Amino acid sequence: QVQLVESGGGLVQAGGSLRLSCAASGRTFRNRDMGWFRQAPGKEREFVAAISATGGVTYYTDSVKGRFTISRDNGKNMVYLQMSSLKPQDTAVYYCALVSRWPTGTQGSWGQGTQVTVSS
């Protein structure tokens, strides 16, 4: 079983950048597709980005294309989300998760998430 812990969130001005990290435990991590999701206040959780097990394939929701980059380091059991040109509408709690069905399907098991707040 893989356990996930997100970090790196914070308060940033519009146009700024943040790098989120997700630490994964478990030896099966490197065999699993991974994703980032987010949930804004009053809204349902939504898909942000996904990365294949080897890191060779990535997929993004349209609203973050060109601004966010997902990456992973299987040697360190880490997944990252580099966020640039942040907008107030990116404000949300961000979660990483195992992708059970490429690219947006998950098993519904979530960590505590990390809060990202973008001020205008």
Side-chain angles (χ1 to χ4, degrees):
Q1 186 175 0
V2 177
Q3 293 184 321
L4 305 168
V5 178
E6 303 92 342
S7 63
L11 174 63
V12 63
Q13 288 188 329
S17 299
L18 279 175
R19 187 196 196 203
L20 305 185
S21 298
C22 173
S25 64
R27 289 182 291 178
T28 61
F29 166 78
R30 61 190 60 197
N31 299 322
R32 302 300 300 271
D33 300 334
M34 296 294 297
W36 283 96
F37 298 76
R38 66 186 180 186
Q39 187 168 19
K43 296 186 177 181
E44 293 189 353
R45 191 158 8 216
E46 65 173 358
F47 167 80
V48 176
I51 188 166
S52 63
T54 62
V57 181
T58 58
Y59 186 87
Y60 299 91
T61 193
D62 286 345
S63 63
V64 307
K65 284 181 181 177
R67 300 189 299 122
F68 291 11
T69 302
I70 188 171
S71 62
R72 67 190 296 163
D73 185 337
N74 285 345
K76 296 181 179 179
N77 276 20
M78 296 292 293
V79 180
Y80 305 100
L81 186 67
Q82 178 67 48
M83 306 186 295
S84 303
S85 302
L86 282 162
K87 304 175 181 179
Q89 52 264 46
D90 294 318
T91 294
V93 178
Y94 283 71
Y95 304 86
C96 66
L98 302 174
V99 171
S100 56
R101 185 171 65 181
W102 183 263
T104 66
T106 70
Q107 296 172 318
S109 177
W110 305 100
Q112 85 287 351
T114 186
Q115 175 71 51
V116 172
T117 303
V118 184
S119 63
S120 57

